[in-house]
Amino acid sequence: MTQRQNDQTIADVGEFALIDLVREQLGTSDYVLVGPGDDAAHIATADGTYVTATDILIEGRHFRRDWSTATDIGRKAVAANLSDINAMGGVATALLVAFAAPGDTPVSWVTDLVSGMVEECAKVGARIVGGDMSAADQVVISITALGDAERPVTRSGAQPGDQVAFAGTLGLASAGYGALSRGFRSPKAAVDEHRAPHPPYAAGPAAAVAGATSMIDVSDGLLADLGHVARASKVAIDVDPTSFEVLDAVQTVAGALGGVDPLGFVLSGGDDYALAATFPADATLPEGWTRIGVVRSGEGVTVAGAPWEGGRGHRHWT
């Protein structure tokens, strides 16, 4: 480790530079078909393969108990993990749940949390098969999802000339967060989506069948997540801002917050767990997918050919 690295904090380097530093220490294995740095890992076994992903939710950082019910939080925790498997073109089959909380947490709150988890799992036919529990100063939920993908779609396959598309909802959850942050409890559509998203679970496998060349789930913001695709694929991506339908609830929140550009929620907001993917130029997009841009030679992500001057999406340690 250099002296400069020794002096740096994780906030100095940021999430993805930190991931790169960790990856340098991990080595390789014949069993690891796709390793760290994608939505999920792809692992070989003696009798086949599986995809797996882990996500963590921390009270006060990813959810608030005064904003969301335990059932909502359970649904959101599971959705975040099912979405990662979805983004590989797969379907989750089993989940391991690690749970930590203060000792004065009501038992009824925990059983409601599990009810939400089971409800969300049922949407793809997955089951919770084990986990762990511990004490903590606040609620912490960590989930590992495992699933099947006949043709895993990574972030690194986009090619110049490909079309860029998305499936699901963009901007609604971040608009809901904006409303809740100002003490509002409406519009209901936006607030409810922040509390418990609705990922397009059928869209990932459909994209894989249709020949998607790369794919990612939109958890940090569309432009930020397309940036991960551009970086992994060593390409540039240009987004057409006229291709989006900005939902009424998003426009309502933008107006209530003092003239905020509603397109900013769509391009920079996260937590909807939509999917973004690239497809060959001549491919027919599956049902539910909308073309929003094009892949070009170069690097980075632009909007209508120019850098986006709005928010950059979610960043840890800021």
Side-chain angles (χ1 to χ4, degrees):
M1 179 179 290
T2 67
Q3 181 61 39
R4 173 163 176 75
Q5 286 176 329
N6 193 50
D7 292 340
Q8 287 181 316
T9 68
I10 57 178
D12 291 332
V13 301
E15 177 185 4
F16 296 100
L18 182 62
I19 290 172
D20 288 340
L21 289 171
V22 171
R23 288 173 66 184
E24 291 173 5
Q25 299 179 264
L26 299 182
T28 60
S29 165
D30 291 341
Y31 292 106
V32 181
L33 305 178
V34 176
D38 220 297
D39 286 276
H42 185 205
I43 309 299
T45 67
D47 58 354
T49 68
Y50 65 92
V51 287
T52 182
T54 295
D55 221 327
I56 188 169
L57 275 74
I58 300 172
E59 182 178 5
R61 184 75 176 180
H62 301 100
F63 64 87
R64 285 175 47 170
R65 284 193 269 174
D66 59 331
W67 284 3
S68 303
T69 67
T71 302
D72 287 337
I73 294 166
R75 283 189 51 213
K76 185 172 185 176
V78 166
N81 287 269
L82 300 186
S83 184
D84 282 332
I85 303 299
N86 194 29
M88 300 294 288
V91 178
T93 55
L95 283 78
L96 298 167
V97 179
F99 171 78
D104 61 359
T105 304
V107 171
S108 61
W109 191 92
V110 178
T111 57
D112 285 347
L113 176 80
V114 174
S115 292
M117 291 180 174
V118 171
E119 178 184 338
E120 196 68 23
C121 283
K123 295 179 181 179
V124 299
R127 294 291 184 273
I128 296 172
V129 296
D132 192 23
M133 291 188 180
S134 183
D137 293 333
Q138 75 259 54
V139 176
V140 179
I141 305 163
S142 180
I143 298 178
T144 297
L146 301 98
D148 295 320
E150 292 187 13
R151 186 181 77 86
V153 183
T154 68
R155 302 177 181 183
S156 59
Q159 298 290 324
D162 283 355
Q163 52 187 319
V164 182
F166 89 97
T169 300
L170 291 172
L172 201 56
S174 59
Y177 176 81
L180 287 164
S181 297
R182 297 296 182 91
F184 303 134
R185 294 295 185 268
S186 63
K188 188 176 186 301
V191 170
D192 285 352
E193 191 68 17
H194 171 75
R195 290 169 171 159
H198 296 80
Y201 292 128
V209 170
T213 55
S214 69
M215 189 153 52
I216 192 170
D217 81 327
V218 183
S219 56
D220 292 335
L222 178 66
L223 298 184
D225 289 318
L226 286 177
H228 304 327
V229 171
R231 179 186 177 196
S233 299
K234 297 180 174 57
V235 295
I237 292 176
D238 187 56
V239 173
D240 177 7
T242 68
S243 61
F244 299 97
E245 177 186 358
V246 181
L247 299 174
D248 290 343
V250 175
Q251 297 187 50
T252 297
V253 172
L257 296 182
V260 173
D261 183 358
L263 188 61
F265 288 119
V266 174
L267 297 180
S268 301
D271 270 1
D272 285 301
Y273 298 99
L275 294 180
T278 58
F279 296 84
D282 59 354
T284 299
L285 297 181
E287 182 179 355
W289 285 87
T290 301
R291 178 178 172 134
I292 57 171
V294 65
V295 178
R296 295 174 175 164
S297 298
E299 59 182 30
V301 178
T302 53
V303 178
W308 173 248
E309 299 298 332
R312 294 180 294 177
H314 176 74
R315 300 175 69 193
H316 295 295
W317 303 299
T318 57

